[in-house]
Amino acid sequence: MADTKKILKCPACGKDMEKVFIPSQGINLDICTQGCGGIYFDNREFANFDEQDEDISAILEKIANKEFEKVDTTQDRICPNCGAKMVKNSTSIKKTIEVDDCYSCGGKFLDNEELIKIREEYENNEQRDADILKYVYSSVGKEMEEIDKNYAKSITNRNMAQKLFYRIMGL
Ligand SMILES: [Zn+2]
Ligand SMILES: [Zn+2]
């Protein structure tokens, strides 16, 4: 379990993050209100905020219409909770937004405005998953086509070999 009272250092800009209480969920989030506007989610917390009908007003109050420090989003981040190196992942197959995930403690860091962009990508996670499935099916489909083609080729080769065999044998 994460120490919920520990002040976290922002993994993007190094400033102290502010604990922001989210009444609708009864949890504290860590938001970089003094620096870059990034948000750190503990394990599973993020699932409460990524869909359009989930309430993020308490977060927006802290970050909307504010000027934040610009940070290099391509840089590797270190998890502020456990110290492990975070991994960049796309939030969907559209691959337009990359977030930093900690595989060690399950934490997730979003740069400023990424939460809003993620919520705009899909109305809900069913649509997000449906898009992934569609992609998987289409790439599996392509693979099957490729296997079929190779199979067809191997049959032709066999016919050729057979013809050659007959010719050599003078049949
Ligand atoms: Zn920051
Ligand atoms: Zn971590």
Side-chain angles (χ1 to χ4, degrees):
M1 270 302 281
D3 179 354
T4 51
K5 289 201 187 72
K6 187 173 78 179
I7 295 293
L8 301 182
K9 293 260 183 230
C10 174
C13 73
K15 301 255 172 22
D16 281 347
M17 300 183 90
E18 185 185 343
K19 299 267 174 219
V20 177
F21 185 65
I22 311 296
S24 60
Q25 311 290 350
I27 54 174
N28 278 303
L29 287 184
D30 298 275
I31 305 181
C32 184
T33 51
Q34 305 302 315
C36 67
I39 309 172
Y40 179 79
F41 298 87
D42 273 350
N43 190 14
R44 288 162 188 245
E45 282 178 351
F46 180 66
N48 296 315
F49 302 102
D50 60 344
E51 298 188 86
Q52 283 180 11
D53 61 353
E54 288 164 339
D55 181 20
I56 58 164
S57 53
I59 300 175
L60 291 180
E61 231 170 80
K62 288 285 176 186
I63 59 167
N65 305 316
K66 295 227 165 80
E67 282 289 320
F68 288 110
E69 232 173 83
K70 290 261 177 294
V71 290
D72 180 2
T73 59
T74 62
Q75 222 155 48
D76 283 337
R77 271 83 185 260
I78 301 298
C79 177
N81 180 46
C82 75
K85 191 175 152 194
M86 301 182 94
V87 177
K88 297 201 184 293
N89 281 318
S90 293
T91 55
S92 77
I93 61 147
K94 292 178 183 172
K95 293 192 173 152
T96 48
I97 309 161
E98 264 191 347
V99 299
D100 294 274
D101 285 314
C102 176
Y103 290 162
S104 169
C105 74
K108 190 185 276 290
F109 180 77
L110 271 58
D111 285 294
N112 184 32
E113 292 187 347
E114 281 182 341
L115 178 64
I116 292 157
K117 286 186 203 152
I118 289 169
R119 288 163 56 98
E120 282 169 354
E121 259 190 322
Y122 297 95
E123 211 171 295
N124 54 50
N125 283 331
E126 268 161 47
Q127 288 179 15
R128 186 180 298 274
D129 293 345
D131 213 18
I132 293 171
L133 278 184
K134 213 162 63 187
Y135 173 77
V136 168
Y137 285 143
S138 75
S139 54
V140 167
K142 259 179 227 138
E143 224 165 90
M144 292 299 289
E145 220 173 275
E146 211 44 51
I147 290 169
D148 272 353
K149 247 186 255 162
N150 286 336
Y151 182 64
K153 223 182 280 169
S154 72
I155 288 182
T156 323
N157 286 345
R158 212 184 310 148
N159 288 347
M160 292 282 289
Q162 219 155 39
K163 271 183 202 146
L164 211 56
F165 174 72
Y166 289 148
R167 202 183 305 158
I168 291 164
M169 301 297 291
L171 295 170

